[in-house]
Amino acid sequence: MLDIKSWLPAAKKLKLDEKTRAEHDCGEGKVMIVSHTSEGYRAHCFRCNESGFVKHDRQSLNTLLKRWRNADVLLERTTTSKMVLPSGCSSDLPSAALLWLARAGIGERLRNKYNILWHEPSARTVVPVYCNESGDLLFYQARAVNAEHKPKYLNPVTDRAAIRFVSQESDYSGTCVVTEDILSAIRVGETEGVTGVSLLGTSASSSDLLYISKYKRVLLWFDGDAAGIKCTRKTKKALAMLGVEAECVRTELDPKEYTADEIRRLTHEYR
């Protein structure tokens, strides 16, 4: 357990649904993530693999609903500097990256469609997140393709409260399948009548919940590990508070690890 003195002051400076990297006394560099969530303040150090959590005072249901319904202003939030991809990105991916993507069902067509790149300086695959309406870059994830390469993700430090990956524009009349990672959202989004939405992790922000609640039908398909199960439970409960009865897909593997036919069957059999 992390000493709260080493991270709580930094976490309390964050706005709701914000997170940032911070230094930790276990060594050099910003190896710790601190965040401010609707439940409380969190921290995790990747070097010493220790975490910390301080719970908020209990908030009333009316207070939570008011905050979520007012959170649409986050959609208009701008940053002081424009997001850009890291220098050194290339569309020429090495065999290790191509194999890693192929295992997730991502071939050349989908790589080109979503502009998945390779960043040689960090030896990572870069998956951008664009605004479907304007085409502006909102975010990106630089993902290690080798298990021994830590940390798994390197992300730009920015306000992510209103940022999510959406596979394509939608009129909200179809099915929204919510996943943890971008590749899974890409794969499920290839199914007719389905929009894939990635939370970019295992926590839905107020803005995420409001966006998801617009769809006619919502399926939650998170990973089958402990973090995914917890995310399913929390997100389903939060959506219910907004009047949305979300369905849950429970599988042993991540969504991206299934074939197109299996994804089609799984997303339709829960109707």
Side-chain angles (χ1 to χ4, degrees):
M1 178 71 70
L2 291 171
D3 183 350
I4 62 172
K5 294 179 181 178
S6 68
W7 63 271
L8 188 57
K12 286 187 173 181
K13 293 179 181 179
L14 299 173
K15 296 178 183 179
L16 183 65
D17 294 324
E18 282 188 339
K19 64 173 62 176
T20 189
R21 284 187 173 269
E23 296 180 349
H24 188 226
D25 53 18
C26 65
E28 296 181 355
K30 294 184 177 182
V31 295
M32 182 168 61
I33 290 287
V34 294
S35 60
H36 180 189
T37 72
S38 59
E39 291 188 327
Y41 302 103
R42 298 181 182 277
H44 180 77
C45 178
F46 292 100
R47 177 181 287 124
C48 56
N49 199 30
E50 294 286 341
S51 299
F53 173 69
V54 174
K55 190 175 182 179
H56 277 316
D57 293 334
R58 187 172 181 84
Q59 302 178 67
S60 68
L61 174 60
N62 287 337
T63 300
L64 288 170
L65 287 173
K66 182 179 179 181
R67 189 185 73 236
W68 288 343
R69 286 168 179 160
N70 289 338
D72 55 357
V73 298
L74 294 174
L75 298 175
E76 305 299 325
R77 184 177 294 175
T78 58
T79 56
T80 55
S81 59
K82 188 175 182 180
M83 179 68 65
V84 294
L85 291 171
S87 177
C89 284
S90 169
S91 58
D92 185 16
L93 280 68
S95 57
L98 293 174
L99 178 60
W100 176 74
L101 288 167
R103 287 171 177 164
I106 305 294
E108 183 178 8
R109 182 182 66 83
L110 292 178
R111 292 201 311 271
N112 293 335
K113 180 178 179 179
Y114 293 100
N115 195 34
I116 298 175
L117 305 169
W118 176 253
H119 186 242
E120 181 60 34
S122 65
R124 292 170 183 271
T125 299
V126 174
V127 186
V129 178
Y130 295 100
C131 174
N132 285 328
E133 295 180 355
S134 66
D136 292 339
L137 179 68
L138 302 176
F139 190 69
Y140 63 83
Q141 289 191 324
R143 212 287 195 180
V145 298
N146 297 316
E148 65 274 9
H149 200 172
K150 304 293 183 181
K152 182 186 294 185
Y153 290 100
L154 288 179
N155 303 323
V157 177
T158 188
D159 183 357
R160 287 172 49 185
I163 297 176
R164 66 197 68 84
F165 174 86
V166 181
S167 61
Q168 64 266 331
E169 289 188 61
S170 172
D171 61 3
Y172 309 113
S173 63
T175 298
C176 171
V177 178
V178 189
T179 69
E180 293 180 29
D181 65 278
I182 298 176
L183 299 188
S184 288
I186 289 175
R187 291 293 316 287
V188 299
E190 288 295 293
T191 301
E192 184 178 358
V194 172
T195 299
V197 176
S198 166
L199 299 180
L200 310 177
T202 55
S203 179
S205 70
S206 303
S207 176
D208 291 331
L209 295 169
L210 284 173
Y211 175 79
I212 295 165
S213 69
K214 296 178 182 179
Y215 283 83
K216 181 178 180 180
R217 177 173 177 255
V218 176
L219 274 176
L220 306 179
W221 192 354
F222 301 130
D223 299 354
D225 56 14
I229 293 171
K230 182 179 180 181
C231 184
T232 300
R233 183 173 63 251
K234 289 173 57 180
T235 306
K236 182 177 175 66
K237 181 178 179 180
L239 286 170
M241 294 169 69
L242 294 177
V244 178
E245 187 60 38
E247 303 163 73
C248 303
V249 181
R250 296 180 175 86
T251 54
E252 292 184 6
L253 304 177
D254 296 354
K256 61 180 177 287
E257 297 181 64
Y258 288 93
T259 67
D261 286 341
E262 289 171 332
I263 290 173
R264 189 178 302 108
R265 176 179 58 79
L266 286 165
T267 55
H268 284 80
E269 72 177 15
Y270 283 84
R271 289 186 181 278

